Amino acid sequence: MDTAAASPAIPSPAASPIAGANALVVGCGITGLAAALALSERDIAVTLLERDAEPATDTASAAFDHWKRKGAVQVRHSHVFLGRLRNLLRDRHPELLRELVDSGARELRMLDTPPQTLRGLVPEPGDDDLVILGCRRTTLEWVIRRYVLARPNVRLLGGATVVGLVTEPGDPPRVTGLRIAQDGVERVLPADFVVDASGRQSQAPKWLADAGARPPEEKTEPSGIVYYTRFYRLRPGAEEPRPDGNPGAADYNWIKYAIFPADDRTFSITLAASLAFPEMKILARPDAFEIIANSLPAVARWIDPARAEPIGDPAHPVQAMGGLVNRLRRYVDERGPLACGLFVLGDAAYCTNPLYGRGCSQGFVHAELLAAALERHGRDYRAAALDVDAGARRDIEPFYRASLAADREAQRKADGRVPRGLRARLATRFFEDGVGVAVRCDPVVYRAFVRMMNMLETPEEAFSRPAVLLRALWVMLRGKKRNAAYALPPPPDRDAVMAACAALPVR
């Protein structure tokens, strides 16, 4: 049999109508690198613009100690790289995934460590997708950057700051490049189109205003939390604790925690607190961080001094991050794109509470949406912008809404407010007494939760399926007494823990 004749022809990247275009990508973080990777695969020449210096390290491990990333203050906080990102790398960039694993990234299979109260979980098709990558953000970024910059049609322009857009007049204006400043000198870089992947601090609204374009629609809500991270390394001969009845992450209202296994025998602990509890800012002190962390049985096992030792910047052993918001900016309105030839991706467009760990996965998804749209529409940047907007509303925006809903509920609990209205009370009860318990006792609900958490299904898809909905409802209706066996372990005594912190020497 002539196998070649029987198989459909696979189009080469050069056959794409966008092949040969020249793109400028602002920002060389995860989303910028994802965009450069996806675009260069379509035979687009990509120039990455980055303010921060190159990492002067030869290994991914050394990057954690020495790489200065002023433009990405979150790099030394805990990160989780969800199944959606890992699967995208597996399916489209297997060599890159192998390089990450060879550099220490771990493929953590979530169904291998379900809650110990869960029974009846058996393998199903699609379970191989429920794998996250465990590694430090610096490791992931260092490996991806090296891989992307090795591509022949990608180059990096370091120390470059964007001054504004270069446009041709019109409604909307047509973007033809960027004005940049480098080494104190301003110049113009021409391009067929521009990608803004500069993250939460994006200046795209200002660039558009300066170009006379319509402003983006913007919605912003504070997340209401501050979180604190500390990294540790296992001591020689020590191993990670085996799973027990204490979950690796939990929310006790006054304190939230999560444990993040990483590469090179490291792991991180993140503790988060609502702004409703201003006394929790003491978590920025390493001695108070250790007191509160040791009050949590799941965390205490990991940070036992016989098992692990703290690592990181001695001047800032606990990394704090506040000012966290959920923000949506739309760069397409009812009249179309605000500027033809400008595409805004990742946190620059959809910024959500990083506590949920979706940012890096979202950046890769958004970059793939752009590359696929350009492959379909070529240099029709209006059609491509509409395509990307539709894809983002479908694949990204549901998780923005979920972040909003979760943060509003967390703030309500922290403030001691009761849900207003019958519908709100029923919804709260369904998720607290139904879904919240069912994920610890029902395999169907647990698997749906894990798929949603990994961005493989939207919350609406995961929890509106009849089997999931009915099982969660049954758990809720059978009552708290029967469900007590599946409850989370009780929280630590807040008053005692805070008294211990208050007794620390004044600094």
Side-chain angles (χ1 to χ4, degrees):
M1 178 179 177
D2 186 346
T3 306
S7 302
I10 300 175
S12 67
S16 166
I18 195 63
N22 168 40
L24 295 175
V25 177
V26 183
C28 195
I30 297 298
T31 300
L33 292 168
L37 181 58
L39 296 175
S40 63
E41 278 195 322
R42 274 75 174 183
D43 201 26
I44 297 169
V46 177
T47 299
L48 283 157
L49 308 179
E50 175 57 54
R51 294 181 303 173
D52 292 342
E54 277 290 277
T57 63
D58 295 327
T59 66
S61 182
F64 178 79
D65 297 320
H66 305 296
W67 192 5
K68 305 300 182 186
R69 292 286 281 114
K70 294 180 180 178
V73 296
Q74 71 273 26
V75 295
R76 283 175 180 80
H77 280 277
S78 300
H79 277 72
V80 59
F81 306 108
L82 303 178
R84 183 70 179 265
L85 170 55
R86 177 262 184 182
N87 297 341
L88 192 155
L89 297 179
R90 178 197 64 191
D91 298 340
R92 295 196 61 88
H93 313 290
E95 301 88 355
L96 174 54
L97 180 58
R98 279 195 295 272
E99 288 195 20
L100 283 164
V101 172
D102 289 346
S103 295
R106 301 159 61 187
E107 293 190 290
L108 304 172
R109 301 181 179 277
M110 299 194 67
L111 296 189
D112 287 353
T113 55
Q116 292 199 338
T117 52
L118 185 65
R119 300 289 182 268
L121 187 65
V122 297
E124 289 186 2
D127 285 354
D128 286 344
D129 292 339
L130 300 176
V131 179
I132 63 175
L133 290 177
C135 69
R136 291 168 289 185
R137 161 67 182 263
T138 51
T139 298
L140 185 92
E141 190 167 330
W142 188 89
V143 172
I144 295 178
R145 178 183 283 222
R146 184 178 64 171
Y147 182 87
V148 169
L149 294 181
R151 299 184 66 84
N153 53 348
V154 177
R155 71 183 183 113
L156 174 67
L157 201 58
T161 302
V162 175
V163 177
L165 301 171
V166 178
T167 60
E168 294 176 350
D171 185 13
R174 165 79 174 90
V175 176
T176 60
L178 291 170
R179 298 195 316 279
I180 70 162
Q182 188 180 31
D183 298 326
V185 177
E186 287 194 18
R187 60 191 176 107
V188 168
L189 293 179
D192 293 301
F193 63 91
V194 169
V195 176
D196 177 17
S198 59
R200 296 167 182 267
Q201 305 303 316
S202 167
Q203 297 299 302
K206 179 181 182 301
W207 301 341
L208 288 169
D210 292 345
R214 304 187 303 278
E217 175 192 353
E218 180 170 327
K219 300 177 182 178
T220 302
E221 281 193 27
S223 70
I225 68 162
V226 179
Y227 68 91
Y228 304 83
T229 296
R230 195 169 196 189
F231 275 84
Y232 301 79
R233 177 173 277 114
L234 294 169
R235 293 187 183 279
E239 299 295 333
E240 294 176 353
R242 297 181 67 83
D244 66 1
N246 294 290
D251 182 353
Y252 288 126
N253 191 20
W254 69 275
I255 189 70
K256 313 173 199 297
Y257 75 84
I259 303 164
F260 297 83
D263 58 295
D264 197 24
R265 293 178 57 79
T266 69
F267 62 93
S268 62
I269 305 297
T270 287
L271 305 179
S274 168
L275 295 175
F277 308 124
E279 67 274 15
M280 297 303 294
K281 64 184 179 183
I282 199 170
L283 277 165
R285 290 180 52 172
D287 47 5
F289 187 97
E290 295 295 314
I291 287 175
I292 297 175
N294 275 295
S295 76
L296 301 160
V299 178
R301 301 167 65 230
W302 282 77
I303 65 173
D304 182 340
R307 188 189 301 274
E309 60 181 340
I311 60 173
D313 183 355
H316 300 93
V318 177
Q319 298 283 320
M321 193 168 181
L324 304 173
V325 300
N326 296 292
R327 187 185 65 216
L328 178 154
R329 286 176 176 163
R330 295 197 193 283
Y331 290 88
V332 171
D333 63 16
E334 68 281 357
R335 292 164 57 187
L338 307 182
C340 274
L342 173 67
F343 301 96
V344 183
L345 304 183
D347 281 350
Y350 289 93
C351 173
T352 59
N353 186 343
L355 192 67
Y356 308 119
R358 297 175 180 134
C360 293
S361 301
Q362 173 190 302
F364 260 87
V365 169
H366 218 168
E368 286 292 332
L369 289 173
L370 171 61
L374 291 170
E375 197 166 28
R376 283 190 287 270
H377 302 290
R379 301 183 191 229
D380 183 347
Y381 298 123
R382 173 185 169 81
L386 294 173
D387 196 337
V388 173
D389 180 65
R393 289 176 187 247
R394 179 189 66 238
D395 294 345
I396 296 174
E397 197 160 319
F399 298 99
Y400 164 80
R401 293 195 298 269
S403 184
L404 278 181
D407 286 348
R408 288 171 181 169
E409 183 65 6
Q411 290 181 58
R412 179 194 66 75
K413 290 181 182 178
D415 294 339
R417 291 180 283 112
V418 298
R420 298 181 61 182
L422 178 61
R423 182 174 180 179
R425 290 195 295 273
L426 288 174
T428 297
R429 189 179 172 208
F430 173 74
F431 281 102
E432 288 185 355
D433 298 338
V435 174
V437 177
V439 295
R440 296 175 59 80
C441 66
D442 187 288
V444 173
V445 179
Y446 176 71
R447 184 176 271 107
F449 173 78
V450 173
R451 290 187 62 82
M452 181 276 295
M453 192 185 78
N454 279 281
M455 296 182 67
L456 303 182
E457 293 181 345
T458 67
E460 292 89 343
E461 290 169 338
F463 295 112
S464 65
R465 291 204 307 272
V468 176
L469 189 64
L470 291 173
R471 284 169 176 261
L473 187 61
W474 164 245
V475 168
M476 180 188 80
L477 293 176
R478 70 189 185 187
K480 292 182 181 292
K481 184 175 180 180
R482 185 172 176 185
N483 289 334
Y486 308 108
L488 286 172
D493 185 292
R494 177 185 173 189
D495 292 339
V497 172
M498 296 313 298
C501 290
L504 290 169
V506 177
R507 290 186 177 179

